[in-house]
């Protein structure tokens, strides 16, 4: 597995990945993503900001994650210090054909590498309350549960927050 930053050339493959992931999310009751999000414009924004990372297996995109400094205003509901610098993980997705192969774990480890390189010791992530896979993944990677919140950008849905403090 190879982890690298995404480029504009990856956009079509990323949109295709989302197209394979969204139906499975919806079938599981997770309405966090749909046919319009995330889209090429969102991925382009991440690429321009150099915050989109890919996992590749045999030259094929196996997963994606945005590792950002962009926090959500609604994070004030979470049990963490919103004044403290933190990296935020968004848009974590793994190709359904490659699940349970360590792709999500590798992408989350990349978040730790990026955080350390930026001198940041905290990583935060939210996940839809229906996303059972990430609710198992994050605690196994050392993240602590930091509360349940709502997001104005996804009315009617609930999200679980997790935070990890990195060793110095």
């Amino acid at each position: 597995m190879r982890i690298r930053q995404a480029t504009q050339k990856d956009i079509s493959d990323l949109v295709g990945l989302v197209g394979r992931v969204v139906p499975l999310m919806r079938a599981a009751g997770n309405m966090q993503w749909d046919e319009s999000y995330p889209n090429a414009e969102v991925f382009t924004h991440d690429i321009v900001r150099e915050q989109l990372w890919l996992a590749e297996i045999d030259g094929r995109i196996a997963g994606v994650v945005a590792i950002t400094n962009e926090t959500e205003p609604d994070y004030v509901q979470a049990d963490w210090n919103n004044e403290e610098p933190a990296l935020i993980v968004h848009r974590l997705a793994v190709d359904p054909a490659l699940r349970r192969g360590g792709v999500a774990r590798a992408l989350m480890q990349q978040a730790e590498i990026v955080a350390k390189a930026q001198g940041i010791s905290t990583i935060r992530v939210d996940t839809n309350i229906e996303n059972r896979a990430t609710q198992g993944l994050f605690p196994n990677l050392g993240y602590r549960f930091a509360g349940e919140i709502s997001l104005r950008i996804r009315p009617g849905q609930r999200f679980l927050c997790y935070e990890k403090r990195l060793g110095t």
Side-chain angles (χ1 to χ4, degrees), residues 66-85:
I67 304 168
T68 80
N69 298 101
E70 299 169 6
T71 188
E72 294 289 338
D74 295 314
Y75 281 175
V76 296
Q77 302 166 62
D79 177 25
W80 56 41
N81 180 355
N82 284 286
E83 301 300 316
E84 176 186 47

Side-chain angles (χ1 to χ4, degrees), residues 79-80 84 122-124 142-144 161-165:
D79 177 25
W80 56 41
E84 176 186 47
T122 303
I123 300 174
R124 297 182 178 139
Y143 285 75
R144 74 167 185 92
C161 294
Y162 294 88
E163 178 182 65
K164 182 174 185 176
R165 297 198 176 273

Side-chain angles (χ1 to χ4, degrees), residues 22-68:
V22 166
L24 296 177
M25 291 173 71
R26 297 210 153 232
N30 181 350
M31 305 301 169
Q32 184 172 1
W33 291 1
D34 56 29
E35 296 74 26
S36 64
Y37 177 87
N39 57 35
E41 182 180 335
V42 171
F43 289 133
T44 297
H45 169 86
D46 288 334
I47 290 167
V48 167
R49 287 185 159 60
E50 298 182 346
Q51 62 189 23
L52 195 65
W53 295 84
L54 305 177
E56 285 183 327
I57 297 176
D58 298 327
R60 177 179 169 195
I61 294 177
V64 62
V65 68
I67 304 168
T68 80

Side-chain angles (χ1 to χ4, degrees), residues 60-159:
R60 177 179 169 195
I61 294 177
V64 62
V65 68
I67 304 168
T68 80
N69 298 101
E70 299 169 6
T71 188
E72 294 289 338
D74 295 314
Y75 281 175
V76 296
Q77 302 166 62
D79 177 25
W80 56 41
N81 180 355
N82 284 286
E83 301 300 316
E84 176 186 47
L87 280 189
I88 312 296
V89 171
H90 291 294
R91 294 177 282 290
L92 175 65
V94 174
D95 190 308
L98 300 169
R99 288 193 175 158
R100 299 213 170 275
V103 175
R105 179 179 295 271
L107 290 167
M108 293 302 291
Q109 287 171 339
Q110 182 64 33
E112 293 185 28
I113 292 167
V114 172
K116 288 177 182 176
Q118 293 183 15
I120 295 174
S121 61
T122 303
I123 300 174
R124 297 182 178 139
V125 62
D126 70 75
T127 189
N128 187 284
I129 199 164
E130 300 300 333
N131 191 333
R132 304 288 182 237
T134 54
Q135 290 174 42
L137 173 69
F138 299 142
N140 284 339
L141 295 177
Y143 285 75
R144 74 167 185 92
F145 177 68
E148 183 177 326
I149 67 168
S150 59
L151 294 172
R152 280 175 266 176
I153 60 171
R154 292 289 182 203
Q157 297 183 42
R158 300 295 294 169
F159 295 84

